[in-house]
Amino acid sequence: MPTKTFLRKKILKKRRAIPPGVRRAKSCKIFSKLFKEPLFKEAYHVALYCGIAPEVITRSFLKKILKDKKVYLPQTDPVRKNLKLRRVRMIPADLRKGPYGIMEPKVSCPVRSAARMDLILVPGVAFDRQGGRLGRGAGYYDRLLRKARRVPKIGLCFREQLVKKIPVKQHDMSVDRVITD
């Protein structure tokens, strides 16, 4: 089985090779499937993320979701190496650039614990069909998802990010389902 570092480099290279227009079309397919997903339809408090290139594009769908759901985005605390979920109501007014250059909620946005979400939509570098997830390597999402063991989690990714098996360790948190294009 390949190491996490090797797999991360390989998949990131594949993902960067997806042209922007194709990435937009693939993101539309992913969200079309998500909107039909019963876990999503039934959820009211939904944690999402602001995708950065070349991830699944979430920003335009975030605006659609805000009409029917209470949406929470992660705010990064690089000192404690954790994420807080803060509610956003208006895009882009509730957002600012975070420590890693990713748009995230302002400190003035209300916090809700991960354990009180109805659904958490999770980014990743790679996923497998069993729910294994490979992140960027800092463990931010593993720490967040550990606090929400009973909350359904769906990984969002492009087909190019699916692998046969993710080399998981005891501290790695998995997702319940993966939606791809």
Side-chain angles (χ1 to χ4, degrees):
M1 191 176 325
T3 66
K4 286 183 173 186
T5 303
F6 173 81
L7 189 56
R8 193 175 283 116
K9 285 180 183 176
K10 179 182 170 187
I11 299 301
L12 286 172
K13 184 178 179 181
K14 283 173 88 173
R15 193 173 69 179
R16 278 191 302 271
I18 303 169
V22 174
R23 213 167 40 241
R24 276 190 297 280
K26 287 172 159 287
S27 296
C28 285
K29 284 182 184 178
I30 290 167
F31 276 91
S32 177
K33 288 180 181 181
L34 176 67
F35 292 157
K36 294 174 186 166
E37 170 65 44
L39 287 172
F40 178 77
K41 285 182 175 182
E42 295 165 10
Y44 185 59
H45 296 276
V46 177
L48 185 55
Y49 60 96
C50 278
I52 56 169
E55 291 178 331
V56 171
I57 300 166
T58 60
R59 190 113 176 224
S60 55
F61 302 100
L62 175 57
K63 290 178 182 180
K64 290 178 187 177
I65 295 169
L66 279 170
K67 294 175 187 171
D68 301 317
K69 314 261 183 209
K70 289 188 176 183
V71 179
Y72 303 80
L73 298 177
Q75 178 204 23
T76 309
D77 180 345
V79 174
R80 291 190 181 100
K81 295 252 187 234
N82 70 18
L83 301 172
K84 284 183 185 175
L85 296 174
R86 293 187 176 273
R87 182 164 179 216
V88 294
R89 292 181 173 107
M90 296 183 299
I91 304 300
D94 286 344
L95 301 179
R96 66 168 181 82
K97 197 172 276 196
Y100 296 105
I102 300 168
M103 297 306 287
E104 56 183 47
K106 292 179 178 175
V107 182
S108 58
C109 295
V111 174
R112 187 176 180 93
S113 77
R116 295 182 60 217
M117 292 295 136
D118 297 324
L119 177 65
I120 300 176
L121 301 171
V122 184
V125 172
F127 292 91
D128 64 30
R129 291 282 181 198
Q130 297 76 40
R133 176 186 170 272
L134 179 66
R136 292 184 174 266
Y140 281 90
Y141 265 90
D142 290 319
R143 284 186 281 284
L144 177 77
L145 298 178
R146 195 167 292 112
K147 297 173 187 172
R149 292 186 189 269
R150 292 193 167 104
V151 178
K153 300 155 203 68
I154 297 177
L156 304 179
C157 72
F158 301 123
R159 226 176 293 136
E160 291 83 349
Q161 295 173 258
L162 281 179
V163 298
K164 192 171 199 141
K165 183 77 177 137
I166 298 285
V168 293
K169 297 199 173 156
Q170 189 175 352
H171 64 271
D172 292 326
M173 298 299 293
S174 60
V175 295
D176 302 297
R177 189 160 168 6
V178 177
I179 296 179
T180 187
D181 54 303

